[in-house]
Amino acid sequence: MDKNLEKQFRAIVGADHFTDAQEDLLCYAFDATREQYLPEAVLFPGNVQEVSAVLRLANARGVPVVPRGAGSGFTGGSLPLKGGLVMAMNRFDRIRLIDTDNLVAEVEPAVVTAKFQDAVEKVGLFYPPDPASYTFSTLGGNIAENAGGMRAVKYGVTKDYVRGLEVVLASGEVVHTGSACAKDVVGYDLTTLFVGSEGTLGVVTKAILRLLPLPEAKQTLSASFSEMGAAARTVAEIIGRGIVPATLEFLDGASLRAVEKHFGMGLPTDAEAFLLIEVDGDQAGLDRSLNRVRSVCEKNGALEVKVARQKAEQDELWRARRAVSPALRAISHYRMNEDIVVPRSKIPEMIQRIQQTAEKYGIPIISFGHAGDGNIHVNVMAGPAGEADLPKMKKAVVEIFEATVALDGRISGEHGIGLAKQPYIGMNLDAPTLALCRLLKKTLDPNNILNPGKMFPSEREAL
């Protein structure tokens, strides 16, 4: 970047909020993937006017801009693939309003998800989206990826809670979508367009979020099984009976043993599948709901069913679930973490196909995730050969994607497409649909400065 242009960017955000020091750039060159791309500079705007001025100048000079929250994504969405600027949104960290009368909140994008959840719960309200990274991921990042989480089976995902947005376009124009109203059909639904757009269409500077009353109580049940098929059938039957738990999570045997080995939580390591189920709502109805879930688990041959009624017991179970990813990282440095989703009724067949792929290539494939909504986190791992297994791992991922699509599923449920899944997006989107997506991108960002090179491959590269 030439010195004159650098000087102009510094003038917009202030010298203290612009850096091109090598040690600073390295901190913004990576995310949760193993990829690394160095930006030319990082800046930290402090208000919407500064975001607008930065984008207006970048657009005029053709400088790539990558909006960034906590950088916790799994698909490379916040990587500065083309260099240019990283626009770190750290200073947009205020909860502006919690409206207890209308059940909405107004927030800035750098608010950490857990901090926001705690704030609304203190006034008796509830924000359900809870990605595994909720203790450090930001609301802006959740919006960019349309994050889900464990409670999606009952409560939905981020897009179900975004009522309106303030967004700065590539041109520097500031637009406002939606409103705090429960009903709003004025114009196109632009809010949903920006949710899940991975920073390719605009920079979110404010969000209006829908809230719910905080459930009166919750109870947690765990069930272990001798084989994954029985657990998968249990999930399908629970939903088929019209029971809608707040969460319905599963871990396979390898996940259980990995967590127990590294964290020693007393999990049943002799089991091949483990379900973690939480029901919430009015205190009076909880026991009935829990008994119905227990009945389905026992009918399908559960080895053991336990109910955790005390908060400390519940927290320990959820700590075990959230410990899976760190435990897997300790097993192998070479891991491909995918988040496929299939219709719930097809979970048993999908699990069977994943196991067949693992046997075919002779590598560990460890599965866990959100069984209640069909979202399976498939971790394709290297075996003893380590890095030499990478070609087999890549082939296994493609076969898992193919099986997913054959079962009417999608190659990503909540991690997004970013860079990692870009070559495979054509498995789910046909050519006319991809063309429309590219047209939308070109319309809102004609000079392709916003997070360029993400989501959509060139036409000749699309599968």
Side-chain angles (χ1 to χ4, degrees):
M1 184 180 302
D2 69 64
K3 294 299 180 182
N4 182 54
L5 184 56
E6 177 184 313
K7 183 178 179 180
Q8 292 180 70
F9 282 123
R10 282 182 186 272
I12 292 171
V13 298
D16 291 342
H17 303 299
F18 180 99
T19 180
D20 58 1
Q22 189 75 6
E23 61 270 25
D24 294 330
L25 300 184
L26 286 170
C27 295
Y28 293 88
F30 62 90
D31 61 1
T33 66
R34 292 193 302 271
E35 301 291 329
Q36 182 172 303
Y37 296 88
L38 203 68
E40 296 173 64
V42 180
L43 47 73
F44 304 83
N47 54 55
V48 67
Q49 291 79 18
E50 290 180 1
V51 173
S52 174
V54 167
L55 289 179
R56 190 178 301 112
L57 176 58
N59 193 47
R61 299 293 296 271
V63 178
V65 178
V66 179
R68 184 180 172 103
S72 58
F74 281 105
T75 59
S78 63
L79 296 176
L81 180 64
K82 306 291 185 180
L85 295 173
V86 165
M87 181 181 282
M89 302 300 289
N90 308 37
R91 296 169 67 197
F92 283 77
D93 61 354
R94 292 181 300 160
I95 300 173
R96 293 186 173 194
L97 171 71
I98 298 174
D99 184 341
T100 57
D101 292 329
N102 294 300
L103 301 184
V104 294
E106 189 175 292
V107 300
E108 293 180 342
V111 175
V112 173
T113 310
K115 177 184 175 183
F116 179 61
Q117 290 174 335
D118 289 344
V120 300
E121 288 179 18
K122 285 178 181 176
V123 294
L125 299 178
F126 183 42
Y127 181 70
D130 64 333
S133 58
Y134 80 116
T135 58
F136 50 88
S137 67
T138 62
L139 292 172
N142 294 171
I143 291 168
E145 299 291 343
N146 190 22
M150 300 183 194
R151 295 192 286 240
V153 57
K154 179 175 182 178
Y155 291 106
V157 297
T158 298
K159 70 178 180 180
D160 300 307
Y161 295 88
V162 182
R163 286 267 179 89
L165 294 171
E166 178 180 81
V167 183
V168 186
L169 303 181
S171 63
E173 293 175 287
V174 181
V175 299
H176 296 87
T177 75
S179 69
C181 296
K183 293 181 177 179
D184 184 345
V185 291
V186 181
Y188 294 126
D189 183 5
L190 298 177
T191 303
T192 304
L193 174 65
F194 287 106
V195 176
S197 64
E198 301 188 25
T200 63
L201 300 180
V203 178
V204 172
T205 50
K206 184 177 71 176
I208 301 169
L209 303 179
R210 179 171 75 101
L211 303 173
L212 300 177
L214 184 66
E216 182 179 313
K218 61 183 178 182
Q219 290 185 1
T220 305
L221 175 150
S222 64
S224 56
F225 297 82
S226 61
E227 51 98 15
M228 181 59 76
R233 289 190 294 274
T234 300
V235 170
E237 187 171 341
I238 287 172
I239 302 299
R241 287 192 180 191
I243 307 168
V244 186
T247 59
L248 209 174
E249 297 289 295
F250 84 97
L251 286 74
D252 68 6
S255 299
L256 288 169
R257 289 183 281 277
V259 172
E260 191 60 24
K261 176 181 178 181
H262 292 280
F263 298 102
M265 296 180 174
L267 297 174
T269 56
D270 57 336
E272 290 304 319
F274 185 77
L275 294 182
L276 189 54
I277 305 165
E278 187 169 272
V279 295
D280 67 0
D282 295 337
Q283 183 68 58
L286 282 188
D287 285 340
R288 180 173 179 271
S289 297
L290 209 64
N291 287 336
R292 291 178 69 197
V293 171
R294 179 198 286 269
S295 173
V296 175
C297 292
E298 292 173 344
K299 176 192 169 190
N300 283 282
L303 299 173
E304 184 179 41
V305 180
K306 290 184 177 180
V307 176
R309 297 184 185 276
Q310 301 302 315
K311 186 177 186 303
E313 296 176 286
Q314 295 170 356
D315 290 347
E316 186 67 5
L317 283 171
W318 290 114
R319 190 169 77 88
R321 164 61 182 85
R322 295 186 190 278
V324 178
S325 283
L328 296 186
R329 283 196 291 270
I331 292 175
S332 175
H333 176 68
Y334 300 101
R335 174 173 69 120
M336 296 180 179
N337 178 8
E338 307 299 341
D339 74 316
I340 60 168
V341 59
V342 295
R344 284 184 294 242
S345 62
K346 297 182 179 180
I347 289 176
E349 186 175 351
M350 189 66 230
I351 293 294
Q352 182 180 27
R353 293 198 184 195
I354 291 169
Q355 292 171 336
Q356 289 170 349
T357 300
E359 292 169 6
K360 175 179 176 179
Y361 289 102
I363 54 177
I365 301 182
I366 300 174
S367 300
F368 66 93
H370 318 308
D373 53 30
N375 189 187
I376 305 171
H377 293 284
V378 182
N379 293 263
V380 180
M381 315 284 289
E387 187 175 6
D389 279 338
L390 284 173
K392 289 196 295 186
M393 293 165 64
K394 291 176 181 177
K395 289 179 182 178
V397 166
V398 173
E399 289 195 14
I400 289 168
F401 285 167
E402 290 172 344
T404 300
V405 174
L407 294 176
D408 300 320
R410 310 296 274 183
I411 64 172
S412 182
E414 58 188 6
H415 287 174
I417 297 299
L419 188 60
K421 296 190 180 185
Q422 184 190 73
Y424 311 109
I425 193 170
M427 288 181 167
N428 277 144
L429 302 185
D430 57 29
T433 305
L434 279 169
L436 178 58
C437 290
R438 292 190 184 97
L439 179 60
L440 286 169
K441 166 70 169 171
K442 189 171 181 60
T443 300
L444 293 177
D445 181 17
N447 295 322
N448 194 28
I449 66 158
L450 282 173
N451 210 3
K454 305 294 174 58
M455 294 184 74
F456 307 111
S458 66
E459 293 184 32
R460 66 178 181 277
E461 293 172 328
L463 296 181

